[in-house]
Amino acid sequence: MLRKGITESFGAAIHALSSAQLTDGVINRSKRMMLDTLGVGLLGTRTAVFNKALKYSKSFSSDERSSVWGQSHITLPSHYAAFVNGIAVHSMDFDDTWHPATHPSGAVLPALLALAETLPSRPSGLDLLLAFNIGIEVQGRLMRFSREAYNIPERFHPPSVVGVMGSAAASAKLLGLSPAQCSHALAIAASSAGAPLANAATQTKPLHIGNAARRGLEAAQLAQMGLEGNPAILDIDFGFGVYYKDYTPSAIEGSASGAFKWILEGQDVAFKRFPAHLGMHWVVDAALAARAKIQNTQTFFDARQIRRVTLRVPPSKYINCPLPATEHQARHSFQFNAGSALLDNKVTVTSFDEAQISRPALRELLSKVKLETPQDNKPSFDKMYCEVEIETDQGLSYTARCDTFYGHWRKPLSHKSLVEKFCINASSVLSMEGVEGVIDMIGNMEKLRECSVLGSYLRMTSEPHEQLHSTASL
């Protein structure tokens, strides 16, 4: 018997995997990912970048219409609904992060929910869970073809590369494509992959997720219509291998048997407690711990007495921004997040408002912050640490270190914390009925006869929003 090629094995797996192979662990983890993604996506519908993308997308029309989250009266063609909802998910850099590094859910869930509303035979909740996990699995497999992918990115934003492939795989599954069509969907999607890190810390970065969701869905729809790509797209260096310096692909085995193992079973995701690049969560926890040490020895904390702040972090150019001028730069600034934590004893959604960024007290504190990159501090979300040292005018020194923040896959958010985060985010947009409805739908997803009912709750806004703002507050 001839051994399948790598791309062929992916197409066969996407087609063959069944809901019977979903384990309780994978179902529970993926439902947590869905709930968090919908919460940050709803909050993101009140941002400037979402507003601009929505205005653009409303110029397109089709007979098939899909829900726009947080908009009670607006629908769009499915691929544009996937586009704007994907942008909303990443508009504040508040979405989940995996290892190797990517944001897995935002590229997949918007595409699936938009597609589900247009299919004549409405998919069940179990159908959605299966397609979602296939989209996550494909991303995880592709990232494991490269040692480079395990580090903090240096050249391109990973969701723009693996996310579009995950969206294509998930959409192909929901469309019921043949093994060959699934392979072609991946090949088509590969020609829409890639975005440079130069656009990190700008309004364009959220488009990477929106484009991944949209282009992956389009790739699956084109494959359904008979469009073909290179059937060996994953096998060759000048195929998907162009994105990695050390590309070593391997086939998916056991997809039609009980021996199949989901990557999500062994590698959980990280959930963020505030809307910023994942690396910021280490520096904030360390800064808060250092601040607490000062408070334990002094009557009150006075940031004006700080002479110098030293941050010992892993090397990474795109999250080293000494004096951010915009909310997107602030979300990618070790210095800003440490300074905000020290000044306010917290970092929240409102920390990234323009008025907060431009505060004289914060700007003065930022001028005292310096970065060091110790050789033992590896640029990996699995191995990095952050150490914060505060030196005062009195000659005293206070140091704290964070190796694992609360929300990391080694220290996951409790169910209570995850639901609280969702409720805070979603209630800024939805009515209480909508918030509770989404929680109930996700909690019972595997029992739903039609997953598209979720869309009705995602449109239950608490009040009309004629003006969308650049940031939202908790």
Side-chain angles (χ1 to χ4, degrees), residues 46-113:
R46 301 300 178 248
T47 60
V49 60
F50 172 85
N51 189 24
K52 292 171 184 176
L54 180 60
K55 182 178 180 181
Y56 162 76
S57 298
K58 283 165 68 175
S59 64
F60 297 91
S61 63
S62 88
D63 293 335
E64 295 179 343
R65 311 293 285 181
S66 298
S67 298
V68 177
W69 304 349
Q71 308 293 315
S72 57
H73 302 299
I74 299 175
T75 58
L76 291 173
S78 59
H79 48 285
Y80 281 102
F83 175 62
V84 298
N85 291 335
I87 288 172
V89 170
H90 198 59
S91 63
M92 302 173 77
D93 219 316
F94 211 177
D95 45 329
D96 58 21
T97 306
W98 213 11
H99 179 70
T102 196
H103 303 285
S105 300
V108 174
L109 189 58
L112 290 177
L113 291 182

Side-chain angles (χ1 to χ4, degrees), residues 35-47:
L35 186 67
D36 186 69
T37 300
L38 293 174
V40 300
L42 286 163
L43 182 65
T45 64
R46 301 300 178 248
T47 60

Side-chain angles (χ1 to χ4, degrees), residues 283 286-288 290-291 294 301-313 334-343 362 364-372 386-393 396-400:
V283 78
L288 292 174
R291 189 186 197 275
I294 297 177
F301 177 85
D302 187 352
R304 292 172 296 181
Q305 295 179 3
I306 294 176
R307 181 171 65 87
R308 181 165 59 183
V309 179
T310 302
L311 310 179
R312 299 184 180 99
V313 296
F334 278 126
Q335 297 90 334
F336 173 87
N337 285 273
S340 293
L342 292 174
L343 201 60
L362 180 59
E364 180 184 354
L365 183 57
L366 290 179
S367 70
K368 302 174 182 179
V369 179
K370 71 169 187 174
L371 250 61
E372 293 181 357
C386 178
E387 190 171 86
V388 175
E389 181 180 2
I390 302 172
E391 300 171 61
T392 69
D393 290 335
L396 300 174
S397 177
Y398 303 86
T399 302

Side-chain angles (χ1 to χ4, degrees), residues 305-356:
Q305 295 179 3
I306 294 176
R307 181 171 65 87
R308 181 165 59 183
V309 179
T310 302
L311 310 179
R312 299 184 180 99
V313 296
S316 180
K317 294 179 181 178
Y318 82 104
I319 45 179
N320 177 4
C321 186
L323 291 171
T326 70
E327 61 168 302
H328 297 284
Q329 290 175 354
R331 299 184 200 283
H332 295 77
S333 168
F334 278 126
Q335 297 90 334
F336 173 87
N337 285 273
S340 293
L342 292 174
L343 201 60
D344 304 326
N345 203 25
K346 62 183 178 180
V347 177
T348 68
V349 170
T350 56
S351 299
F352 302 92
D353 287 351
E354 183 178 348
Q356 296 295 97

Side-chain angles (χ1 to χ4, degrees), residues 4 9-10 12-14 16-18 21 252-260:
K4 286 187 176 71
S9 78
F10 270 69
I14 294 167
L17 284 167
S18 70
Q21 292 166 284
I252 294 182
E253 305 289 350
S255 59
S257 72
F260 182 81

Side-chain angles (χ1 to χ4, degrees), residues 22 26-42 69 89 96 105-106 108-110 112-113 124-133 136 264 269 271 418 422 438 441-443 445-446 448 451 454 458:
L22 292 173
V26 165
I27 288 174
N28 289 335
R29 283 184 173 176
S30 56
K31 288 197 297 187
R32 282 165 58 88
M33 293 163 73
M34 286 181 174
L35 186 67
D36 186 69
T37 300
L38 293 174
V40 300
L42 286 163
W69 304 349
V89 170
D96 58 21
S105 300
V108 174
L109 189 58
L112 290 177
L113 291 182
S124 68
L126 204 54
D127 293 332
L128 180 69
L129 280 168
L130 176 60
F132 179 81
N133 276 287
I136 302 301
L264 186 61
V269 300
F271 296 108
L418 188 78
F422 171 80
V438 173
M441 293 296 101
I442 296 297
M445 182 57 67
E446 66 270 41
L448 292 183
C451 66
L454 187 58
L458 293 170

